[in-house]
């Protein structure tokens, strides 16, 4: 399947690992006022329809992972932030809120390689991934209240599921910036690495995931997402059905034969 045509980002597919690089360093990879919203959504949809992809990596080019919303547009009440209440609300629903819906539905593991500042909606974008690894230079901030607005992209939903209500509440209400080291202590990121080691480590982890049986990887990701909202008895019924599917796949038998040879 052909990859989507992109203008503000770069997409590379190598050994079943798709890497999406936000490529608007001129605006610190801001999501609004660029084509990045449309392109992230397009890539998420493509990943789900492309059997050649087993992992999606998201990172940023330049100094930032993503600065989130374009503050200059906010000051001018232009772009995504123009108009009355109903108009702004509709633009959010048709704009940035498509990202959490799209990424939450991605069927393969999503790894955020946080190369620099992840601020506001950029922080939330990182939290929409399954796993986050960060450069030691990365910083994080749920800074919406500093601008007199709320996390309109669903960030409050993702963050408290990631680190718990109390810690998410403190970060959101204080609007303070967090270092990569503190982000690891809080459980926001899995690992902190020196800048030159970030992408090699992310790609090493992605390759490990991508080497697993492809159909079982997608079913496992779906299972882990559904476990968050299902009762145990219903969940076990689902596990039984998914396992029946796995036992009837050629990749299962191939994996068993490889194991037996070892």
């Amino acid at each position: 399947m052909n990859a989507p045509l992109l203008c503000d980002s770069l997409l590379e597919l190598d050994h079943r690992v798709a890497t999406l690089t936000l490529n608007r360093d001129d605006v610190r990879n801001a999501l609004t006022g660029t084509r990045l919203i449309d392109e992230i959504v397009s890539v998420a949809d493509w990943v789900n329809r492309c059997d050649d992809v087993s992992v999606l990596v998201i990172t940023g080019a330049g100094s930032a992972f993503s600065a989130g919303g374009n503050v200059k547009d906010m000051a001018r009440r232009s772009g995504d932030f123009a108009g009355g209440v109903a108009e702004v609300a509709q633009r959010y629903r048709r704009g940035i809120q498509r990202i959490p819906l799209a990424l939450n539905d991605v069927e393969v593991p999503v790894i955020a390689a946080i190369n620099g500042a992840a601020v506001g909606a950029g922080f939330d974008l990182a939290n929409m991934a399954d796993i986050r690894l960060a450069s030691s230079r990365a910083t994080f901030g749920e800074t919406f209240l500093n601008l007199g607005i709320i996390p309109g992209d669903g960030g409050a939903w993702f963050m408290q599921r990631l680190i718990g209500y109390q810690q998410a509440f403190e970060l959101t209400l204080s609007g303070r910036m967090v270092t990569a080291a503190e982000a690891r202590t809080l459980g926001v990121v899995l690992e902190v690495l020196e800048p030159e080691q970030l992408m090699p480590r992310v790609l090493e982890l992605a390759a490990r995931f991508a080497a697993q049986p492809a159909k079982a990887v997608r079913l496992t990701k779906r299972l882990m997402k559904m476990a968050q909202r299902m009762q145990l008895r219903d969940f076990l019924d689902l596990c039984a059905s998914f396992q029946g599917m796995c036992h009837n796949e050629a990749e299962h038998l191939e994996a068993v034969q490889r194991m037996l040879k070892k």
Side-chain angles (χ1 to χ4, degrees), residues 177-198:
M177 296 298 294
V178 173
T179 65
E182 184 179 358
R184 187 171 188 271
T185 300
L186 290 169
V188 172
V189 299
L190 182 67
E191 298 178 20
V192 176
L193 302 113
E194 292 305 310
E196 65 276 6
Q197 297 173 340
L198 176 62

Side-chain angles (χ1 to χ4, degrees), residues 114 116-120 123 126-127 132-135 138-143 171 176-181 183-184 188-189:
I114 305 160
V119 182
F123 189 10
N127 290 341
R132 285 150 296 282
L133 281 73
S135 161
T139 53
F140 304 82
E142 192 75 346
T143 55
L171 288 181
R176 68 184 179 88
M177 296 298 294
V178 173
T179 65
R184 187 171 188 271
V188 172
V189 299

Side-chain angles (χ1 to χ4, degrees), residues 6-114:
L6 306 176
C7 295
D8 286 356
S9 55
L10 305 172
L11 181 62
E12 181 182 0
L13 178 60
D14 184 36
H15 292 87
R16 306 191 65 83
V17 177
T19 301
L20 175 66
T21 303
L22 312 183
N23 195 34
R24 285 297 306 271
D25 185 39
D26 58 312
V27 290
R28 303 181 75 232
N29 298 322
L31 300 176
T32 60
T34 65
R35 298 182 183 179
L36 288 175
I37 292 173
D38 289 339
E39 295 185 2
I40 292 169
V41 171
S42 294
V43 169
D45 180 63
W46 168 75
V47 165
N48 285 345
R49 292 184 291 110
C50 183
D51 292 336
D52 294 330
V53 179
S54 286
V55 181
L56 173 62
V57 173
I58 301 176
T59 192
S63 62
F65 176 74
S66 174
N70 190 310
V71 179
K72 291 182 180 178
D73 284 348
M74 294 181 196
R76 293 189 292 259
R77 291 296 313 282
S78 62
D80 288 343
F81 314 110
V85 173
E87 187 177 352
V88 172
Q90 185 77 306
R91 202 174 288 112
Y92 265 76
R93 285 191 289 267
R94 293 179 177 177
I96 200 166
Q97 288 185 352
R98 293 161 57 217
I99 293 179
L101 294 173
L103 290 184
N104 199 53
D105 287 343
V106 170
E107 297 174 1
V108 303
V110 180
I111 304 175
I114 305 160

Side-chain angles (χ1 to χ4, degrees), residues 127 132 155-172 185-188:
N127 290 341
R132 285 150 296 282
W157 191 92
F158 288 93
M159 190 186 296
Q160 63 181 290
R161 283 164 173 77
L162 178 62
I163 61 174
Y165 179 83
Q166 181 170 247
Q167 292 185 145
F169 189 91
E170 187 275 325
L171 288 181
T172 304
T185 300
L186 290 169
V188 172

Side-chain angles (χ1 to χ4, degrees), residues 107 216-230 234-243 246:
E107 297 174 1
V217 165
R218 291 190 180 227
L219 285 175
T220 301
K221 167 76 179 280
R222 186 181 304 176
L223 202 65
M224 294 191 71
K225 286 286 188 179
M226 295 180 78
Q228 298 172 352
R229 59 180 186 270
M230 293 182 71
D234 295 333
F235 181 69
L236 290 174
D237 283 343
L238 180 67
C239 289
S241 297
F242 278 15
Q243 196 71 299
C246 289

Side-chain angles (χ1 to χ4, degrees), residues 213-216 243-261:
K215 293 180 180 178
Q243 196 71 299
M245 294 165 64
C246 289
H247 278 292
N248 283 274
E249 285 289 346
E251 66 179 25
H252 161 61
L253 297 177
E254 293 167 0
V256 169
Q257 291 302 317
R258 287 194 297 270
M259 182 68 69
L260 289 174
K261 288 179 180 179

